[in-house]
Amino acid sequence: MSDELGIAAVLAPGVLAPGVLAAVDQHGAAVRDILAFGVPAAAVAGAVAGAVLLAGYAKGVLDEATAQGWQVPAIVDWPNADWLTLRLAAVCHLARRDEPALEA
């Protein structure tokens, strides 16, 4: 997914307007909250690795979007990217970071 959306190039310093990066960061914070507080067994017991939760979340979002007719855009117009594209970009960004995806 990260390669399809071109996340590595997009998140490189100086490539995007700060507003787009802020939107990706806000989506990332929302995803972290959903995973940290919306999955009690994993958050409390630490039973599931953050990367596994991120993958499961992304798959669920992508499956639902695909069922509704959404497709990964061939070329993303980042300043005008839709909610789903920004959310998936945030998930990919979280997955690439060295820090854990879940922090309570």
Side-chain angles (χ1 to χ4, degrees), residues 32 50-51 54 94 97-103:
R32 282 192 306 272
L54 276 172
L94 288 171
R97 295 173 78 171
D98 290 335
E99 67 188 56
L102 298 177
E103 293 180 11

Side-chain angles (χ1 to χ4, degrees), residues 59-81:
K59 181 170 180 0
V61 169
L62 191 56
D63 286 351
E64 181 61 28
T66 302
Q68 300 295 322
W70 185 86
Q71 296 179 355
V72 176
I75 297 174
V76 179
D77 176 16
W78 287 104
N80 298 306

Side-chain angles (χ1 to χ4, degrees), residues 19-93:
V20 177
L21 295 176
V24 171
D25 284 343
Q26 288 175 344
H27 278 275
V31 170
R32 282 192 306 272
D33 287 349
I34 288 167
L35 297 182
F37 302 112
V39 187
V44 174
V48 179
V52 173
L53 290 174
L54 276 172
Y57 176 83
K59 181 170 180 0
V61 169
L62 191 56
D63 286 351
E64 181 61 28
T66 302
Q68 300 295 322
W70 185 86
Q71 296 179 355
V72 176
I75 297 174
V76 179
D77 176 16
W78 287 104
N80 298 306
D82 62 10
W83 182 94
L84 185 59
T85 301
L86 292 170
R87 182 59 61 115
L88 292 173
V91 170
C92 292
H93 182 55

